[in-house]
Amino acid sequence: MKALQMYIDGKWTKSSNARTIDVKNPSSGETIATIPRGTEEDVNRAVLAAKAAFHGEDWRKVKAFERGEMLFAIADKIKLHRDELAELESTDVGKPLSQAYSDVDAAIRYFRFYGGAADKVMGDTIPIEDGLLNYVVREPVGVTAHIIPWNYPLQIISRSVAAAIATGNTVVVKSAEDTPLTATRLTEFFEKLDLPAGVFNHVTGIGHEAGAALAGHPLINHVTFTGSVGTGIAVGQAAMANVVPSTLELGGKSPNIVFADSDIEKTVEGVVRSIIQNAGQTCSAGARLLVEESFKQEFLEKVIERFSKLTVGAGMQDKDLGPILNEKQYQHVMGMIELANEEGNVLTGGKPVTVGGYEGGFYVQPTIIDGVSWNSRLAQEEIFGPVLNVFSFKDTGEALELANSTDYGLVTGIWTKDLNTAHYLASRIDSGQVFINNYGAGGGVQMPFGGYKKSGFGREKGWAALYNYTVLKNVAIKYN
Ligand code: NAD
């Protein structure tokens, strides 16, 4: 079992009080590593180091294209260690190995995308009058904080850290206490880059300790948070108390809207994949199926048949679904299924699964719920498990109403051959991303991603994320 360390100011370190947290393999329940339980003091050291590095000449003198090359070097390292990282992510998160490979490949693409962008984030000139040159530069914001959830650790660290480094900032990462392993391996890659000490720091620890200390630290200049709505609000408020901007990527209750004219085979596959990925522990999971009433029975039969063929197993066994992260999450998922049994019908699944040789893991059958009201807790709240809620609609108007009927607005899938319907709905739906006849666009490193309503604000991914980490400065020069 490995005793991992944090990385602060260019040095590996334990926490200031030497306390640790056990890291478990969700597939088996076994403890596989320990990480330091970072304290307020540790966070303070990391932020001070990042501040000093940001103002130091060594980092300022690094050319934009050289920052890009550093990010390419990280991408190369990840590629070189692709198998190791995929196995680590699968073991730490419990996700099926092939899904962990997709995460590693997405991480490579983030570092390449933002590496390429590093010397292309340009300013502007503004025409005013003869003898007055007015220009706008995009400067780095300074010390950036990155608070990471447990479900896609490597991908989520990569997308925000790469954008922040590309634009010349310094970084303090707080990885998720449950899944810090790939974050630590990535930190080792950063160590090898020989960056000035303090440019990249990685603090581990508990959310309300190290996480809260980071979000509320008066010397940070931007917070990127991905996680639950409740924590996101606390993080946003802590940042606001210092008048610091935040980018909040929160949860979802995303719908797939299925019309009777859709291609049934492709749509079934899209709908099923969107809810079972990472055993439904995905912010953008297609958690609600809204299906045209006249098509409901035929479509549901196919979905149920597909669900019956899905396999469940340990992450490294690479079945369709892995375990739920831990007992707490499992109790939450099973509690919601119990509620479904009281308020509606469980059409398939709904039971725990025992996986031979992995009795310490928490596994759940893929489950379909029907017959609950659109405004019930089941229809409104994230279940964060492999549970699909089904609703039907009579016409496009009702489909739109149902789609927009939650507090969330992260992703929507629309399945139809009718382009009028698809475009109309895409223009009316409260959702940061809309997929028509697909769901996910293969990860979409280049596409801005983020929420409407309580799914958050600001955008990660794509070019848009670069603007989270820059601030505009306007300069006016009078000349004769
Ligand atoms: P969480 O909110 O419990 O924790 C997220 C991170 O915040 C962790 O690192 C945690 O240690 C830290 N944290 C907890 N309390 C804190 C506090 N008071 N101050 C500062 N930091 C604190 O979320 P989770 O359970 O890790 O992740 C699941 C949630 O994340 C789901 O709601 C999911 O939808 C959401 N999510 C969203 C996206 C997205 O991009 N929109 C992606 C993945 C997950």
Side-chain angles (χ1 to χ4, degrees), residues 457-477:
F457 58 77
R459 293 293 179 264
E460 286 293 320
K461 303 189 178 187
W463 202 264
L466 292 160
Y467 299 146
N468 297 335
Y469 306 105
T470 57
V471 59
L472 298 181
K473 181 181 277 175
N474 185 256
V475 180
I477 307 168

Side-chain angles (χ1 to χ4, degrees), residues 277-440:
Q277 195 184 342
N278 201 21
Q281 303 166 112
T282 303
C283 55
S284 56
R288 291 184 298 145
L289 167 62
L290 318 182
V291 56
E292 193 165 356
E293 207 165 83
S294 60
F295 190 48
K296 184 178 173 187
Q297 195 178 344
E298 183 187 349
F299 189 74
L300 261 187
E301 272 169 20
K302 291 255 185 199
V303 176
I304 291 170
E305 189 195 331
R306 186 72 186 84
F307 263 50
S308 70
K309 296 199 180 109
L310 294 171
T311 53
V312 179
M316 289 297 289
Q317 291 178 319
D318 203 20
K319 305 291 184 189
D320 295 309
L321 290 99
I324 301 296
L325 177 81
N326 56 26
E327 185 170 6
K328 186 171 160 233
Q329 287 291 126
Y330 168 81
Q331 294 299 354
H332 169 69
V333 173
M334 292 313 287
M336 291 301 252
I337 292 175
E338 209 175 295
L339 193 60
N341 274 313
E342 288 161 20
E343 293 186 4
N345 314 308
V346 174
L347 299 183
T348 184
K351 301 266 178 335
V353 178
T354 304
V355 175
Y358 295 91
E359 287 77 8
F362 296 97
Y363 299 87
V364 178
Q365 288 178 330
T367 301
I368 302 180
I369 295 170
D370 192 14
V372 301
S373 158
W374 69 270
N375 58 2
S376 64
R377 270 189 67 205
L378 282 159
Q380 293 290 321
E381 293 178 16
E382 267 189 322
I383 298 177
F384 234 53
V387 183
L388 180 64
N389 281 41
V390 182
F391 304 88
S392 61
F393 60 85
K394 284 194 198 59
D395 52 31
T396 309
E398 196 182 4
L400 179 62
E401 219 173 293
L402 274 173
N404 284 342
S405 68
T406 73
D407 280 345
Y408 292 110
L410 196 55
V411 171
T412 301
I414 301 170
W415 302 83
T416 177
K417 292 199 183 90
D418 183 339
L419 277 181
N420 287 318
T421 305
H423 282 305
Y424 170 77
L425 283 176
S427 75
R428 294 291 191 279
I429 270 168
D430 299 331
S431 173
Q433 281 188 332
V434 178
F435 295 105
I436 298 168
N437 295 323
N438 78 102
Y439 199 93

Side-chain angles (χ1 to χ4, degrees), residues 52-120:
F54 182 71
H55 290 296
E57 287 299 305
D58 289 351
W59 183 232
R60 186 178 271 268
K61 290 257 153 59
V62 176
K63 296 178 178 127
F65 85 89
E66 291 170 339
R67 292 197 301 268
E69 285 183 344
M70 289 170 175
L71 299 177
F72 292 146
I74 297 282
D76 291 346
K77 272 280 201 192
I78 298 174
K79 194 160 187 186
L80 191 67
H81 295 274
R82 185 171 177 264
D83 294 336
E84 179 204 340
L85 283 162
E87 285 173 24
L88 209 52
E89 196 76 324
S90 172
T91 307
D92 201 15
V93 186
K95 64 177 65 187
L97 184 62
S98 50
Q99 293 179 26
Y101 269 106
S102 302
D103 289 6
V104 175
D105 292 341
I108 295 169
R109 287 170 58 204
Y110 282 121
F111 280 102
R112 290 208 192 292
F113 181 87
Y114 290 115
D119 58 358
K120 299 172 192 68

Side-chain angles (χ1 to χ4, degrees), residues 129-142:
E129 62 187 42
D130 188 37
L132 189 66
L133 171 65
N134 192 287
Y135 64 86
V136 183
V137 274
R138 283 196 173 269
E139 296 191 336
V141 292

Side-chain angles (χ1 to χ4, degrees), residues 147-152 156 159 174-178 205-215 225-232 234-235 238 248-252 281-284 325 328-329 382 384 408 410 449-451 455 460:
I147 302 178
I148 310 297
W150 52 261
N151 55 353
Y152 288 80
I156 290 174
R159 73 184 187 195
K174 207 299 272 170
S175 54
E177 50 269 49
D178 292 293
I206 307 273
H208 61 85
E209 297 174 359
L214 183 57
F225 170 84
T226 305
S228 55
V229 175
T231 311
V235 165
L248 304 178
E249 300 284 4
L250 310 178
Q281 303 166 112
T282 303
C283 55
S284 56
L325 177 81
K328 186 171 160 233
Q329 287 291 126
E382 267 189 322
F384 234 53
Y408 292 110
L410 196 55
F449 176 68
S455 288
E460 286 293 320

